[in-house]
Structures are given as C-alpha cells and as structure tokens.
Amino acid sequence: MRRVLVKGAGVAGLTVAHELAARGASVTVAEIRSQIGGKASWLAGGMLAPWCERESAEEAVVTLGKTSAEWWERTLPGLVTKAGTLVVAHARDALELARFAARTRNHQSVDAEAIAALEPDLAGRFRKGLFFAGEAHLDPRRVLEALAGKLRAMGVVFLFEAGEIAPSGFDQVIDCTGMARADDDLRGVRGEMVILHTREVSLARPVRLLHPRHPIYIVPRADHHFMVGATMIESDHDGPITARSLMELLNAAYALHPAFGEAELVETGVGVRPAYPDNLPRVGRGKDGAITVNGLYRHGFLLSPAMAEQVAGLLFNSTTELESENEADRQRRSA
C-alpha cells in the first residue's frame, strides 16, 4: 500500500486525497491551519461553469472542467445544483453581451420572457441574456466539510496545525499548498467577495451581470444568502477588502436587483489565488521530489478533479517521471 502525504486541505488537496484513497493509498493530509477552510477555497464562488469561463480562459479550461460537475455529484451526491448559468447585461451594455456570446459556446440566447421564466425576480429588468444550461454550482464550504468527512470515513488521517513533517515516512509527497509553495513562476491574484442576505430576492442559479468595468457574479446559497464576487487584482496582498472593491461589488449587486440595496452585509472576504503566467494549472515535480498541484487560479472547484485524476494516474499507472508537459499545456497549444 502506498503511503502518501498530501500537504494542504484546500480543494486541491482534498480532491487529490480522495482520488488516491479511492485507489487504495494510505493518505495523510497535513494542514497548517486549525481546521478545514479559511483560505481561497473557502471563499470561492463554487461555479462549475467551463463554458462561461471560456470567455476569458484558454480552451483547456473547458476540456479539463467539463466533467467536473459529474465528478462532484458522483463523489458527494446531492450537493451539486445543475441549474445552469444565466448571463445578463443592461441594454446600454449590449455589446458586452455580444462579446461574451462570441467567445463562448453551449449557450442559448434568451429574451425578457425567457429570463423571467428562469428567474422570476429578474422579470422586466433585462431584455436579453445567455443561458448556459449545462453548467452547475455548489456551496464550497458545505462541500469541503462533506468531502473531509467522507475522507475520514475512508481512513484518511488529518493533521491540523501541522508543522514540518518528515517525508521519510511516506512513499510520496503531494504538495497542494497554493501560494505557500515556493515557486518563482507563481503569482497571486487577489479576489474579494461579499455575502449578502435578503429575503426579497430569490435566484435558482448563478447570475453573471456583464459590465465594461465591473462584471460580477451572484451565486445563491442557503436561506437567501448570496455570494457576490469577485475582483481580480494582480496582487498577493491578503489584507481586508478595500472600500473601492466593496462599493463596486455592492453597486453591481444593486444594479442586478434594487432589493440588494437593503440586504444585510453578512461577510466580506479576500482570497489570493495562485496562478501561473498562462493562468492554467500544472501538475509538476519540485526539486524536493514532491509532486505539485498548483496554479488553479479562479478555477479551483472546476479543475481540481481533473488535476487529482492526473496525480492518481502518475502514482497508479506505473509512471516514474512526469511528462515534460502537463495536460493543460498540451490542450492549450492544440486549441
């Protein structure tokens, strides 16, 4: 039985741990924090939206992410909502909607009547939109806790507030620590979000509101809570949300529906997402011999299943060395 140490209990670490444990490995997960959550994975939107993401991402994101909803549903039945994604824009921003449509696929154009049928609380507010019926979403916090619970039931050992652990007790170390991993190619991309609560709005699915300067998404959570995100700032500063970002997010939410102006501001959060220059994730090998999974950028829940399956393939398909190029790189060049 292979003994594997997984460093990091974010979405990358937990999905890797699951794939390895499911194949019979003895897995230990080490996390410097005192519990699950608290970093970028905890603050994520949880959108499994490969076709929407193609608007600003490489084709590899679609290729690697299009089966993620099935992976999550298979792994944690009942925690994935398959209701699609609705993209809207005000009439003055019609060009943004046209641009979004041109850069993506697997969507259908919807008019005001269709928008009202999909989201009754948005009736009369938007004339045109795009509906991506094949997309899904999940609640990251609920999913991370459920996945950790499943892993414990599978025999995975968790070490919280873990210091340096000697790799000599393991056959392989998998480093999924994101920005904590020393890697000169990584950069931080700061994402800020807010959680609002109002019973005056109901949404069945993530809604993306396009705007030339401040596009946002709003993801429904339990009990009329809504995650509003997210900024993308080229910075690894993880301090509190800025006043400007807070105003932009709140103004955009108000532009989607005025009732958000009276919503309770439940939480603000800042996460620093690790990204490589091409914004694509990599499975690599560090100088210390550890296999690394990093660079998930804004696609943590979308792409971590594919990355975890790549790691499992390396360990259980008699592969002794990583290929010179990872799958994401090959997909990018072939697109």
Side-chain angles (χ1 to χ4, degrees):
M1 178 182 292
R2 289 179 180 266
R3 297 165 301 165
V4 181
L5 173 65
V6 176
K7 292 184 176 181
V11 65
L14 295 186
T15 51
V16 165
H18 183 275
E19 288 303 295
L20 299 184
R23 289 163 172 79
S26 173
V27 180
T28 298
V29 176
E31 169 58 48
I32 63 172
R33 301 180 70 87
S34 61
Q35 59 187 4
I36 295 293
K39 290 190 175 181
S41 297
W42 194 251
L43 301 172
M47 296 180 294
L48 307 177
W51 291 283
C52 274
E53 288 300 310
R54 182 65 180 91
E55 181 266 339
S56 60
E58 300 283 356
E59 181 65 23
V61 171
V62 178
T63 303
L64 295 169
K66 62 185 179 183
T67 60
S68 63
E70 286 70 26
W71 188 94
W72 285 110
E73 177 60 28
R74 183 172 65 250
T75 303
L76 298 170
L79 295 188
V80 176
T81 301
K82 297 181 178 180
T85 303
L86 178 63
V87 180
V88 295
H90 290 292
R92 64 180 179 274
D93 298 322
L95 289 178
E96 292 298 310
L97 192 64
R99 183 187 60 81
F100 198 99
R103 291 188 56 84
T104 58
R105 63 183 189 274
N106 280 23
H107 55 71
Q108 64 184 87
S109 297
V110 288
D111 58 14
E113 183 178 356
I115 291 171
L118 289 167
E119 297 291 356
D121 282 5
L122 300 184
R125 299 197 52 77
F126 301 96
R127 299 175 185 174
K128 295 180 180 180
L130 302 169
F131 181 50
F132 293 77
E135 297 188 335
H137 70 283
L138 50 75
D139 183 334
R141 301 178 182 188
R142 186 180 179 194
V143 161
L144 289 172
E145 291 175 339
L147 185 53
K150 181 179 180 181
L151 290 173
R152 290 188 180 95
M154 296 170 70
V156 173
V157 175
F158 283 84
L159 302 177
F160 291 104
E161 297 183 313
E164 191 62 33
I165 298 175
S168 57
F170 301 91
D171 300 312
Q172 183 64 61
V173 176
I174 316 292
D175 192 307
C176 303
T177 55
M179 289 301 299
R181 174 76 181 182
D183 189 328
D184 292 339
D185 288 337
L186 277 177
R187 75 186 198 281
V189 181
R190 177 181 165 98
E192 298 155 308
M193 52 76 75
V194 301
I195 294 180
L196 303 177
H197 177 254
T198 175
R199 295 191 176 279
E200 300 304 312
V201 181
S202 293
L203 296 176
R205 57 187 55 77
V207 177
R208 297 183 182 228
L209 175 63
L210 303 183
H211 183 276
R213 290 180 295 121
H214 310 305
I216 66 158
Y217 54 78
I218 297 184
V219 186
R221 299 275 173 86
D223 190 30
H224 291 272
H225 287 77
F226 301 87
M227 185 274 199
V228 184
T231 60
M232 288 192 296
I233 301 170
E234 294 288 331
S235 171
D236 60 4
H237 175 58
D238 62 355
I241 191 170
T242 65
R244 174 182 293 182
S245 294
L246 180 59
M247 288 187 294
E248 289 174 354
L249 292 172
L250 294 179
N251 285 337
Y254 179 81
L256 182 76
H257 196 294
F260 282 117
E262 301 299 323
E264 298 172 351
L265 180 56
V266 176
E267 179 183 338
T268 66
V270 174
V272 178
R273 288 84 60 99
Y276 287 113
D278 59 4
N279 292 334
L280 293 175
R282 298 178 188 174
V283 174
R285 192 181 295 278
K287 294 179 181 179
D288 56 2
I291 293 176
T292 62
V293 181
N294 219 322
L296 287 163
Y297 184 43
R298 55 183 279 170
H299 307 125
F301 284 85
L302 179 64
L303 298 187
S304 57
M307 297 297 100
E309 289 173 353
Q310 285 188 27
V311 172
L314 289 172
L315 293 186
F316 291 94
N317 291 339
S318 300
T319 301
T320 58
E321 293 294 334
L322 287 172
E323 297 175 319
S324 59
E325 300 172 322
N326 63 57
E327 181 66 17
D329 289 332
R330 288 198 296 271
Q331 292 290 346
R332 175 175 54 82
R333 280 201 294 273
S334 65

